[in-house]
Amino acid sequence: MSRQYHSIVLVGFMGTGKSSVSRLLAERLGFARVDLDEAIERRERRTISELFAEQGEAAFREIESEVLSELMAREKRQIIATGGGAVLREENRQVMQARGWVVALTADAERIIARVHADTSRPLLKGDVRGRVTELLQTRKHAYDFADLKLDTSRLGVAEVAERIIAAWQRLTPEPADGRGPRGNH
């Protein structure tokens, strides 16, 4: 029995391009775009930084799991850009795999540091950015191994990443003869 995909789920460490790639994928495929962190902020009426500061990471991860489950239950075609830590819980990995096609975006440490060093909105990067990125990459070394597709974005532009994902998606879900296939909005 083959899996039925309603969602393309982008996972990966912060700074690997999930948000940018999700925008372009949604535009090119005609899917809805959902950013998990943005959905959490709308629901909670607070920023991710505020949630971390007021409730701590454990409470944030609980909220993150709830919102992810709600999004994954939707039957519509969507691109979901997750936060870098959404894969830390087994239940999240299971729901992503059960209901979506999971693409892991990766990048080397130097590229990630260059991309996120000035971003003050990331609560896990408070203080020594280089040290935190290195430490988190080490602890999450295998966290994205469950993905259906892995792409290293270190030396690719957003358009190149999107093109590679679309090509793989089209091989996975070929368009039926009537032209109204699984790649369109339903």
Side-chain angles (χ1 to χ4, degrees), residues 11 87-88 90 93 104 106 136-147 150:
V11 300
V87 298
L88 298 177
E90 176 64 24
R93 294 190 302 270
T106 65
L136 288 168
L137 279 172
Q138 182 60 34
T139 61
R140 296 180 184 179
K141 184 167 45 179
H142 297 291
Y144 309 103
D145 289 351
F146 75 103
K150 280 180 132 178

Side-chain angles (χ1 to χ4, degrees), residues 43-84:
R43 184 180 116 169
E44 297 297 312
R45 293 184 172 91
R46 287 178 280 173
T47 66
I48 300 299
S49 292
E50 289 169 339
L51 287 167
F52 264 78
E54 295 166 12
Q55 296 182 298
E57 185 175 0
F60 169 77
R61 295 295 175 204
E62 189 62 37
I63 294 165
E64 181 180 57
S65 293
E66 292 168 10
V67 175
L68 178 63
S69 290
E70 292 166 11
L71 294 174
M72 295 302 302
R74 295 178 176 174
E75 292 293 325
K76 71 179 185 178
R77 298 286 182 175
Q78 59 188 348
I79 308 294
I80 299 175
T82 66

